């Protein structure tokens, strides 16, 4: 996508859901939407569980920078990635946004696909509030959530500028402790 193809777009929400997205989809390609939207202020990426391959990040954290991408966004202030996981292309996208966006104020990584703490607090599902527990996570989802938290700590946290409010929402400690 060429720069400035979406010159007036201020808010962008993209959902990657199964079965419509290929599990081999390179999430990093979403950079083209960011680069084509110079007025973009808010970006939300929702990644459904199993919508992408969890090609885990391994090795030196300096390896996870795609080169020759000079586009910068000077309007983007808020980014939220729901369903953040340890997939290499998702880490690369996150690093790209952090390193190329100087106007960023807030960056949130929600590890739990949006149905954990935030869902209960927002009370979209009154039953969860009535029983006082979050929606359960499968054993596999919980294991990936812990890998994702470790990935965020190792590969992303150190790249967050001090001026950016950074938050990682992991599994609810009240409902998922010891699981």
């Amino acid at each position: 996508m060429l720069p400035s193809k979406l010159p007036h777009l201020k808010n962008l929400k993209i959902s990657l859901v199964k079965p419509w997205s290929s599990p081999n989809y390179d999430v990093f390609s979403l950079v083209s939407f960011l680069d084509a939207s110079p007025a973009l202020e808010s970006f939300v990426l929702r990644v459904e569980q199993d919508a992408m391959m969890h090609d885990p990040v391994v090795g030196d954290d300096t390896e996870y920078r795609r080169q020759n991408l000079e586009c910068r966004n000077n309007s983007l202030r808020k980014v939220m990635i729901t369903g953040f996981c340890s997939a290499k292309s998702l880490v690369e996208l996150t690093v790209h946004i952090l390193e190329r966006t100087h106007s960023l104020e807030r960056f949130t990584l929600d590890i739990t696909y949006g149905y954990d703490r935030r869902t209960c607090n927002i009370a979209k599902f009154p039953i969860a509030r009535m029983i006082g527990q979050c929606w359960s996570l499968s054993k596999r989802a919980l294991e990936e959530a812990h890998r994702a938290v470790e990935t965020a700590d190792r590969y992303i946290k150190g790249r967050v500028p001090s001026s950016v409010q950074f938050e990682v929402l992991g599994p609810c400690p009240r409902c998922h402790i010891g699981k």
Side-chain angles (χ1 to χ4, degrees), residues 82-107:
T82 300
F84 180 82
C85 62
S86 61
K88 181 179 177 181
S89 67
L90 194 52
V91 172
E92 290 173 329
L93 175 65
T94 303
V95 168
H96 175 83
I97 293 170
L98 285 169
E99 291 182 348
R100 304 259 193 283
T101 309
H102 301 290
S103 56
L104 202 57
E105 297 172 1
R106 181 171 180 80
F107 201 111

Side-chain angles (χ1 to χ4, degrees), residues 26-116:
D26 184 4
V27 178
F28 188 79
S29 66
L30 297 177
V31 164
S32 62
F33 284 101
L34 303 177
D35 293 343
S37 309
L40 191 65
E41 295 177 1
S42 173
F43 175 59
V44 176
L45 174 61
R46 298 189 190 285
V47 181
E48 185 179 282
Q49 187 175 7
D50 299 326
M52 61 185 295
M53 295 286 283
H54 291 252
D55 181 21
V57 177
V58 292
D60 184 12
D61 66 343
T62 59
E63 295 176 30
Y64 299 100
R65 294 184 197 170
R66 299 229 183 152
Q67 300 300 320
N68 302 322
L69 293 167
E70 295 305 320
C71 294
R72 297 185 186 273
N73 187 307
N74 293 321
S75 300
L76 189 59
R77 295 180 302 129
K78 297 177 185 174
V79 174
M80 180 169 190
I81 299 176
T82 300
F84 180 82
C85 62
S86 61
K88 181 179 177 181
S89 67
L90 194 52
V91 172
E92 290 173 329
L93 175 65
T94 303
V95 168
H96 175 83
I97 293 170
L98 285 169
E99 291 182 348
R100 304 259 193 283
T101 309
H102 301 290
S103 56
L104 202 57
E105 297 172 1
R106 181 171 180 80
F107 201 111
T108 304
L109 298 177
D110 186 348
I111 307 295
T112 61
Y113 306 100
Y115 61 83
D116 207 316

Side-chain angles (χ1 to χ4, degrees), residues 105-172:
E105 297 172 1
R106 181 171 180 80
F107 201 111
T108 304
L109 298 177
D110 186 348
I111 307 295
T112 61
Y113 306 100
Y115 61 83
D116 207 316
R117 271 184 297 196
R118 288 275 169 131
T119 302
C120 289
N121 290 342
I122 296 173
K124 286 184 180 179
F125 299 97
I127 293 172
R129 188 181 59 200
M130 288 183 342
I131 62 173
Q133 290 185 335
C134 300
W135 292 106
S136 63
L137 292 170
S138 69
K139 180 180 178 184
R140 193 176 112 227
L142 195 56
E143 289 170 354
E144 175 54 38
H146 290 297
R147 273 193 303 275
V149 169
E150 291 171 9
T151 299
D153 285 343
R154 179 171 181 189
Y155 298 101
I156 296 167
K157 190 175 183 180
R159 289 187 163 103
V160 178
S162 59
S163 60
V164 175
Q165 184 180 357
F166 180 67
E167 184 176 23
V168 176
L169 300 174
C172 172

